[in-house]
Amino acid sequence: MTDQLHAQHYINGEFIDSGSEQSSFDPATGSAIGTYSDGGADTAELAIAAASRAFRETGWRKDAMSRSIALSHLADAFEARTSDLIATLCSENGKLQGEAGFEVHFIPRALRFAAGLALLNQGKVADTQPGVQSMSIRQAVGVAGIIVPWNSPAYLCIRALAPALAAGCTAAVKMPAQAAQTSALLAEIFDSVEDVPTGAVNFFIESGSAGAQHLVESPAVPVISFTGSTHTGRLIARAAADGLKRVSLELGGKTPHLVFDEADLAVVVPTIVASTTVFAGQFCMTGSRILAQRGIADRLTEALAEALSAVRPGPASSPDSQIGPMINLASVARVDAAVDDAIAKGAEVVVRGGASQLEHLAGGAFYHPTLLKVSDSDRTIVQAETFGPVQTIQVFDTEEEAIALANDTEYGLSACIWSRDVDRPVRVARELEAGLISINSWANLAVEFEEGGFKSSGIGRLGGVASLEDFLEYKQISHPFVPEVH
């Protein structure tokens, strides 16, 4: 990389320019922080070709121990660049220091877990009848096309890339323009680890979708791993179906907090506030729906109103900041329009946040949190993913009603249950249609366990042993033999 502030594509072990040059911006100030090469379908094809060569011509797909060692060394390399990754996420992604650190700390853990997974790709063998030995082996499918979102670009890239590499795949990775500088840093770290064969991992940056579309349509890419909106996930699934291509999709969410009468508000309130302020609500597990039992609803609403009204927006550079900027001003306008529409359709304002008018934040994409009280779960503000710091609160009476309300959505990525009853949380968790249930907590992620969604929140799982499955093909080998005759 010739210039730290000019982000290039990383293809076949080289940093290259392809496409037009665009600017990267700091969402906290609106100021340009660098430039990047904006690629497209041609750049994606270069990445696919390099990954295909590496898959065919190197020993990567056949040598599990080498993959395990490489992934372990990558974990060390990422750990050594922790401060650089945090700084880049703060300046380009708008995250506060603690939020960026939270994202980055998952990366070495994911890589080390994948290093172990690389050695777990075991088949089986059995005598299916006298004189016939059958075996089942699992082999890497080929080039993995990985399409990364902008909201947590460093970890969400590695979350998909690590198991793909552990399985023996090579990769063409599409990074979004909003994370161009992050992409360049990820590539620089990969380039520093000699154990990864040239061309095994390729990154290209684009502001549009032509390159991503080429990944999905290319017959040389048998599997796509995508994290992003449900709308885009559906488009990818339809396009991939033409080639009978496998897809792994982690899509949108509308996480409910089910708060029962016996919940401890001293723990509930700060966690619910954090669930909408972390990443400025730009998180697939943002706790956007609050379902409160009637006996606790008024106290909870009052406490949340006070806490949310006191949240201080600001940049990562200020230790007083409690919520960072959204990714850009267009996102601020989009979220504000959704709130206005909800109010016009009858939602009751508890806290009306909105675009910051604070003079010292001028130029930044800051949005103060909003809390709306609703009585009808069919409203758009309840059903649609807002992707911003907006929460709704709705009252329920019985446990059965809470479960029904929580499940009354097309999404099923995560949910939270708040109760000091010893039995209720597990009982309710078993009835919720969601892939991750956090009890008396929120978004309690662990890379060692499977993560993914029900319903329109996705297909497949990342994390855990199951994360290998999308990147492996099963092959049965039958071997008749002549038994020894005595």
Side-chain angles (χ1 to χ4, degrees):
M1 198 161 115
T2 58
D3 182 353
Q4 191 177 6
L5 291 180
H6 177 60
Q8 298 173 291
H9 313 293
Y10 179 69
I11 296 174
N12 204 35
E14 296 182 350
F15 290 92
I16 67 168
D17 287 310
S18 174
S20 61
E21 184 175 298
Q22 304 293 337
S23 294
S24 296
F25 295 94
D26 180 347
T29 63
S31 302
I33 57 173
T35 58
Y36 66 91
S37 287
D38 192 1
D42 291 345
T43 319
E45 179 55 33
L46 293 174
I48 293 169
S52 295
R53 283 193 300 273
F55 186 77
R56 293 191 312 267
E57 298 174 8
T58 73
W60 182 255
R61 63 191 170 97
K62 297 180 179 179
D63 193 338
M65 183 59 73
S66 290
R67 297 197 302 271
S68 180
I69 292 169
L71 286 160
S72 181
H73 288 168
L74 280 166
D76 295 339
F78 271 92
E79 206 160 52
R81 300 296 295 274
T82 293
S83 59
D84 295 333
L85 284 161
I86 290 173
T88 301
L89 288 170
C90 288
S91 64
E92 179 179 50
N93 207 232
K95 286 185 170 64
L96 302 182
Q97 290 278 343
E99 296 170 352
F102 178 73
E103 176 178 344
V104 170
H105 102 277
F106 279 108
I107 294 175
R109 190 180 188 99
L111 289 164
R112 292 191 174 107
F113 183 71
L117 288 181
L119 303 177
L120 286 179
N121 183 19
Q122 299 167 342
K124 61 182 180 180
V125 62
D127 291 347
T128 54
Q129 56 183 291
V132 178
Q133 174 183 274
S134 292
M135 68 178 73
S136 175
I137 62 173
R138 300 193 296 172
Q139 296 178 319
V141 297
V143 177
I146 297 174
I147 304 173
V148 179
W150 52 259
N151 60 325
S152 291
Y155 173 61
L156 295 184
C157 171
I158 300 301
R159 184 184 63 170
L161 183 53
L165 295 177
C169 290
T170 55
V173 183
K174 177 261 174 77
M175 293 294 290
Q178 300 95 325
Q181 304 302 321
T182 302
S183 174
L185 183 52
L186 294 178
E188 185 179 316
I189 296 170
F190 268 86
D191 190 61
S192 71
V193 177
E194 295 180 356
D195 307 84
V196 181
T198 299
V201 179
N202 307 272
F203 296 90
F204 69 94
I205 306 161
E206 71 167 347
S207 61
S209 59
Q213 184 176 344
H214 187 66
L215 287 180
V216 175
E217 294 175 350
S218 172
V221 182
V223 58
I224 295 292
S225 179
F226 169 77
T227 301
S229 72
T230 295
H231 171 73
T232 302
R234 288 193 173 107
L235 295 177
I236 288 172
R238 292 189 191 110
D242 286 341
L244 298 179
K245 184 174 300 193
R246 64 177 70 187
V247 293
S248 172
L249 307 172
E250 192 191 77
L251 307 177
K254 198 71 179 175
T255 297
H257 288 277
L258 286 71
V259 186
F260 291 93
D261 284 342
E262 66 276 5
D264 183 355
L265 287 187
V267 179
V268 173
V269 172
T271 308
I272 289 183
V273 170
S275 77
T276 196
T277 58
V278 167
F279 309 162
Q282 301 167 120
F283 182 33
C284 55
M285 294 185 185
T286 291
S288 52
R289 296 182 66 201
I290 304 165
L291 305 174
Q293 198 163 18
R294 193 170 301 276
I296 204 171
D298 288 345
R299 288 184 291 130
L300 176 60
T301 303
E302 182 180 344
L304 284 173
E306 181 179 356
L308 288 169
S309 298
V311 169
R312 295 186 301 273
S317 57
S318 171
D320 295 328
S321 299
Q322 295 176 318
I323 182 172
M326 301 192 71
I327 195 64
N328 52 38
L329 291 172
S331 294
V332 170
R334 174 185 55 78
V335 171
D336 216 39
V339 171
D340 284 341
D341 179 70
I343 294 170
K345 292 178 179 176
E348 179 185 336
V349 175
V350 180
V351 177
R352 179 61 170 101
S356 180
Q357 303 301 314
L358 297 173
E359 185 176 348
H360 70 284
L361 300 179
F366 293 96
Y367 195 91
H368 295 259
T370 290
L371 177 63
L372 304 173
K373 188 174 183 179
V374 297
S375 57
D376 183 357
S377 59
D378 288 337
R379 298 183 188 276
T380 301
I381 197 68
V382 177
Q383 291 294 327
E385 187 176 33
T386 309
F387 224 60
V390 177
Q391 293 180 313
T392 61
I393 188 164
Q394 189 172 359
V395 177
F396 68 86
D397 289 299
T398 67
E399 185 176 300
E400 293 72 22
E401 185 184 3
I403 293 167
L405 287 172
N407 289 339
D408 183 21
T409 171
E410 70 170 314
Y411 297 111
L413 190 59
S414 69
C416 307
I417 302 167
W418 296 93
S419 170
R420 285 183 286 187
D421 185 290
V422 69
D423 295 321
R424 194 199 302 266
V426 173
R427 186 170 64 235
V428 171
R430 290 176 176 272
E431 300 301 318
L432 294 180
E433 297 166 352
L436 171 67
I437 312 295
S438 299
I439 295 174
N440 292 322
S441 58
W442 164 69
N444 237 338
L445 299 168
V447 71
E448 297 85 356
F449 287 86
E450 286 70 19
E451 176 191 341
F454 284 29
K455 302 186 286 188
S456 294
S457 285
I459 298 171
R461 290 295 183 267
L462 291 167
V465 175
S467 62
L468 285 177
E469 293 299 322
D470 289 316
F471 305 106
L472 290 169
E473 193 68 88
Y474 284 77
K475 180 183 289 182
Q476 182 186 156
I477 302 171
S478 181
H479 180 199
F481 63 93
V482 179
E484 183 179 0
V485 179
H486 296 284

